[in-house]
Amino acid sequence: MLRSHLRRGSRTGLVNLLLLATLLCSVLIAFNHSTSSLASAVKSRAAKAVHAPQSGVLRGWELSQQRKRIACGATETSEPVTTQFDIKAYLVGKKTSVEKALDKAVQSECKETDKICEAMRYSLLAGGKRVRPALCIAACEMFGGTEEECMAAAVATEMIHTMSLIHDDLPAMDNDDLRRGMPTSHVKYGEDVAILAGDALLSESYAHVAKATPKSVPADRIVEVIRILGDAVGPVGLAGGQVMDLECEGKSGVTMDDLRWIHRHKTGALLRAAVASGAVIGGATEAEVEACIKYAEMIGLAFQVADDILDCTQTAEQLGKTAGKDEATDKTTYVKLLGLDGAKAEAKRLADEAVKALEPFGERAAALKALAEYIVNRQQ
């Protein structure tokens, strides 16, 4: 009996040992599977980080997913992810969306408005880089907003910009007959209709923000955007800068401070408005909006320095507008005051300052940083 009991005890012990071994194997398999899944997740997130800028740089839904992961107890890595931003792909994508929105924004609703709407659309849809709308969208997305939420504001910036080009080309101002490779508005429709087309685009820009911004955007943000756009066009904006620019043509003793004042307002004001509007709609704080404005001030000046360089280095075919016009009208430019090499150095300095202003936002600012470089290095 004793032997039989011992044999039964041995068999029981052996069974228990086998069960323990099976359990340990299951634990090891589960651990390996978990480690593999974690590695795959890290790889997946790294891949998304590389490609995210082409779709908007941490857009609203991506931020939402981050918040969900944190709420579920996931640990966010503190190591920065280095990304390579494809600015060409980004601009092509945004331009496609913007062009559709611009086309939809101005439509004649009765035969009596056919001519004025045709003149508005002629200049508004004549092409262009659409840099201002891209800046507006990039700023909005940086703070978790969406392209849809800020598209009305983006369209408004392009309406105002187009108005400024129509009026700038008039005989009373720059007297130009070529814009974006096409006859200017007053050449095609006459000065009277060109002036009115510009006026209509300006007034419609404010109305468009009020009418077309989604209801998901708080009303106080919409009102603030309309204020920002209004300031960009007034006496301390585009209009004031244009008057000072006209007064300085052929005038001796124009200083670098004078030139910067002109272009902070004539060119820079609308670029500031584009970035600030996007940030406001995206939900940025006052301090964050100020950082964006500092960035925009630098790229506004850099944009004009680049324009001055292009005017004396590119042909009319390359620019899509009359080349060498600044020298012909004895206009004070950065090239005139600093020389070509000095102007190029100034453009780079301003772009570097712009990027520095975005440091607090890290990789979220990839699109805006890339746009600053694009503005300085563009060829038209």
Side-chain angles (χ1 to χ4, degrees):
M1 285 185 63
L2 180 60
R3 283 180 188 169
S4 174
H5 178 72
L6 286 173
R7 279 196 298 271
R8 284 197 302 271
S10 298
R11 284 197 297 271
T12 303
L14 182 59
V15 169
N16 288 339
L17 186 60
L18 287 170
L19 288 172
L20 180 61
T22 302
L23 179 62
L24 285 172
C25 286
S26 299
V27 169
L28 286 171
I29 290 169
F31 177 78
N32 287 335
H33 177 72
S34 175
T35 305
S36 175
S37 296
L38 180 59
S40 297
V42 169
K43 273 173 128 182
S44 175
R45 286 192 61 202
K48 285 180 181 178
V50 170
H51 293 98
Q54 297 177 30
S55 59
V57 191
L58 288 179
R59 298 174 66 161
W61 69 270
E62 291 173 298
L63 290 172
S64 173
Q65 292 301 310
Q66 279 190 350
R67 294 186 188 109
K68 286 178 182 176
R69 288 195 296 271
I70 293 169
C72 292
T75 303
E76 293 290 320
T77 178
S78 59
E79 295 182 5
V81 180
T82 303
T83 63
Q84 292 206 349
F85 195 91
D86 189 344
I87 187 60
K88 289 184 179 178
Y90 182 83
L91 283 172
V92 167
K94 296 308 178 191
K95 183 175 180 177
T96 300
S97 301
V98 169
E99 294 286 352
K100 289 179 181 177
L102 290 171
D103 179 60
K104 186 179 177 181
V106 179
Q107 297 284 341
S108 179
E109 296 180 0
C110 60
K111 65 179 183 179
E112 289 82 4
T113 62
D114 284 352
K115 187 169 185 179
I116 184 66
C117 288
E118 179 189 328
M120 292 165 70
R121 288 171 58 82
Y122 174 78
S123 297
L124 187 64
L125 302 177
K129 299 173 286 294
R130 309 306 190 197
V131 168
R132 289 154 193 82
L135 286 167
C136 182
I137 295 168
C140 182
E141 289 178 339
M142 185 170 74
F143 294 106
T146 65
E147 179 180 289
E148 180 186 5
E149 288 174 329
C150 69
M151 185 56 78
V155 165
T157 64
E158 195 65 14
M159 286 180 171
I160 295 171
H161 175 54
T162 303
M163 173 278 297
S164 74
L165 298 181
I166 293 172
H167 287 180
D168 201 39
D169 291 334
L170 289 168
M173 294 201 195
D174 281 1
N175 191 24
D176 218 326
D177 57 5
L178 187 67
R179 175 68 68 177
R180 292 172 174 169
M182 298 165 60
T184 49
S185 182
H186 70 272
V187 171
K188 185 171 179 65
Y189 294 101
E191 290 181 46
D192 49 0
V193 174
I195 292 169
L196 292 169
D199 293 345
L201 283 168
L202 178 60
S203 60
E204 183 59 27
S205 69
Y206 307 126
H208 190 72
V209 173
K211 293 184 296 185
T213 303
K215 295 187 184 301
S216 59
V217 178
D220 61 329
R221 295 183 190 177
I222 298 173
V223 172
E224 176 63 7
V225 167
I226 293 172
R227 182 199 66 78
I228 290 169
L229 293 173
D231 285 347
V233 185
V236 289
L238 193 155
Q242 177 69 14
V243 169
M244 182 87 167
D245 192 29
L246 291 169
E247 288 182 342
C248 288
E249 282 187 10
K251 182 180 176 181
S252 61
V254 179
T255 67
M256 183 62 73
D257 286 341
D258 294 330
L259 193 60
R260 286 183 179 133
W261 196 96
I262 290 169
H263 296 304
R264 276 196 180 100
H265 297 83
K266 179 183 175 181
T267 306
L270 190 52
L271 291 168
R272 283 198 306 274
V275 176
S277 294
V280 167
I281 292 173
T285 65
E286 286 188 21
E288 288 169 336
V289 172
E290 283 303 314
C292 288
I293 288 173
K294 184 175 180 182
Y295 157 84
E297 284 180 347
M298 295 299 105
I299 63 164
L301 291 172
F303 192 100
Q304 188 59 51
V305 177
D307 255 10
D308 290 353
I309 293 169
L310 291 171
D311 186 72
C312 64
T313 60
Q314 303 288 80
T315 65
E317 289 73 22
Q318 290 170 314
L319 293 176
K321 60 182 179 180
T322 306
K325 198 73 185 289
D326 293 340
E327 186 177 359
T329 57
D330 195 21
K331 183 175 285 189
T332 302
T333 67
Y334 288 93
V335 175
K336 184 177 180 179
L337 294 183
L338 299 175
L340 185 58
D341 290 340
K344 289 178 178 179
E346 177 68 359
K348 184 181 184 307
R349 182 191 72 78
L350 290 165
D352 290 344
E353 286 293 317
V355 170
K356 187 176 179 181
L358 297 175
E359 285 180 356
F361 308 118
E363 286 299 317
R364 288 187 295 152
L368 289 177
K369 291 175 182 177
L371 280 163
E373 184 178 347
Y374 167 80
I375 283 169
V376 170
N377 294 326
R378 63 198 165 90
Q379 296 302 307
Q380 58 178 188

